[in-house]
Amino acid sequence: MADRPLTLMAVHAHPDDEASGTGGVLARYAAEGIRTVLVTCTDGRCGDGPGGVKPGEDGHDPAAVAAMRRKELEASCEVLEVGHLELLEYADSGMMGWESNDAPGSFWNTPVADGAARLAELMRHYQPDVVVTYDENGFYGHPDHIQAHRITVAALELVDLSPKVYWTTVPHSAVRRFGEVMRESGPDGERSEPVEPVEPVEAAELPEIGLPDEEISTWVDTTAFGGRKFDALAAHASQGDNIFFLRMGKERFTELMGVETFVRVRDTTGAALPENDLFAGLR
Ligand SMILES: [Zn+2]
């Protein structure tokens, strides 16, 4: 066991998910000398193009979007000091119900066994002690996030390893707090300079995500790395969804996003819950 470093593997769907979902833990654990491995399953081709052009609109070139997002992903990994970036390079499937769901090569259209076999190879190579991905609903229902969950679960069945396994989540208290911030900041973003005009988001539009606070097993304080997480997300500034966060400014962002939360779904360490460290019981 001592002949290899403790290893965190995060399995994400798209370029930018690593920053928004796990930027804090990736940066924090890298700083603690833990080997970090990011597996990004798709190329993000259904994201926004240059100038905010949306998929399906004139001028949206999926190959060019994928190439741009690859560069953004590499920049984000540099900020987060991700040790190893592994790309499965499936085609982004787009949101649930989009035609791209069924496109040849789309991640959603790929048999789970195919993705799982490739991910299992990576698990055998890196032997992660901790694996992080989404829950069975992909955190918010995106097909590629659901598929990332499915291949991770299937890959874990294929390998002779027993890492601690976690799903990312957010506490309902944070979702509520977030709704308040959205209401109070409004379209002009009083608290920081707007990057570009953004529609105000109604609290009613908040997706039903996350878990009651008492169901969250693992709370990792990453406030010391809030600036890194912000910079990693800023590396993905081409994606409109990230602009709301960037408008907050670093300080506010860290205040709101400085603790990353997880549900522990597999464990062999017996570490007591709730825990404040993904590696509790391993070091
Ligand atoms: Zn995503």
Side-chain angles (χ1 to χ4, degrees), residues 12-17 20 42 69 92 134 140 142 144-145:
H12 279 296
H14 306 105
D16 82 358
D17 293 320
S20 52
T42 80
R69 298 194 71 185
D92 186 344
Y134 319 106
Y140 73 106
H142 191 297
D144 290 328
H145 289 237

Side-chain angles (χ1 to χ4, degrees), residues 18 26-27 30 36-38 76-85:
E18 81 290 346
L26 285 169
T36 56
V37 181
L38 168 63
S76 166
C77 284
E78 217 160 285
V79 170
L80 299 173
E81 297 188 351
V82 168
H84 303 267
L85 170 61

Side-chain angles (χ1 to χ4, degrees), residues 9-281:
M9 176 180 279
V11 182
H12 279 296
H14 306 105
D16 82 358
D17 293 320
E18 81 290 346
S20 52
T22 54
V25 291
L26 285 169
R28 174 180 154 174
Y29 288 120
E32 291 180 8
I34 285 170
R35 180 169 66 166
T36 56
V37 181
L38 168 63
V39 181
T40 300
C41 296
T42 80
D43 60 6
R45 70 175 63 186
C46 293
D48 298 348
V53 61
K54 300 285 177 190
E57 288 178 358
D58 278 355
H60 187 278
D61 174 353
V65 171
M68 174 183 72
R69 298 194 71 185
R70 165 92 180 253
K71 286 213 173 73
E72 291 179 340
L73 177 60
E74 286 166 357
S76 166
C77 284
E78 217 160 285
V79 170
L80 299 173
E81 297 188 351
V82 168
H84 303 267
L85 170 61
E86 297 285 355
L87 304 170
L88 300 187
E89 296 192 299
Y90 292 108
D92 186 344
S93 312
M95 302 298 271
M96 195 64 92
W98 289 10
E99 248 172 56
S100 50
N101 292 179
D102 304 318
S106 88
F107 191 33
W108 185 240
N109 208 18
T110 298
V112 169
D114 291 16
R118 294 181 59 201
L119 183 57
E121 262 319 297
L122 293 172
M123 288 180 178
R124 288 186 195 104
H125 178 71
Y126 290 108
Q127 305 201 9
D129 303 281
V130 170
V131 173
V132 174
T133 191
Y134 319 106
D135 63 21
E136 60 280 1
N137 187 41
F139 183 61
Y140 73 106
H142 191 297
D144 290 328
H145 289 237
I146 294 171
Q147 193 76 331
H149 166 88
R150 289 178 180 170
I151 72 163
T152 303
V153 170
L156 286 164
E157 293 298 315
L158 297 174
V159 296
D160 187 21
L161 298 167
S162 18
K164 292 175 88 178
V165 179
Y166 294 89
W167 309 152
T168 56
T169 190
V170 292
H172 280 167
S173 60
V175 176
R176 278 194 301 274
R177 202 148 41 97
F178 201 72
E180 285 160 23
V181 171
M182 282 178 155
R183 270 195 303 277
E184 81 193 27
S185 53
D188 298 326
E190 292 157 38
R191 287 173 180 276
S192 58
E193 280 295 302
V195 173
E196 63 178 54
V198 175
E199 295 290 310
V201 180
E202 297 298 326
E205 290 174 31
L206 277 178
E208 283 190 25
I209 53 171
L211 288 173
D213 291 29
E214 61 274 16
E215 289 177 32
I216 288 174
S217 64
T218 309
W219 306 68
V220 185
D221 183 359
T222 60
T223 46
F225 298 90
R228 292 277 190 92
K229 180 170 172 164
F230 183 91
D231 289 341
L233 207 56
H236 296 285
S238 70
Q239 302 307 299
D241 289 350
N242 297 330
I243 289 170
F244 178 82
F245 296 99
L246 300 177
R247 284 174 55 225
M248 280 179 197
K250 259 182 203 179
E251 215 171 291
R252 187 85 167 132
F253 175 81
T254 301
E255 208 179 291
L256 278 168
M257 313 283 283
V259 176
E260 293 185 348
T261 49
F262 304 86
V263 182
R264 191 173 84 187
V265 291
R266 198 200 270 200
D267 174 57
T268 51
T269 68
L273 296 181
E275 60 185 4
N276 60 12
D277 177 9
L278 297 173
F279 288 83

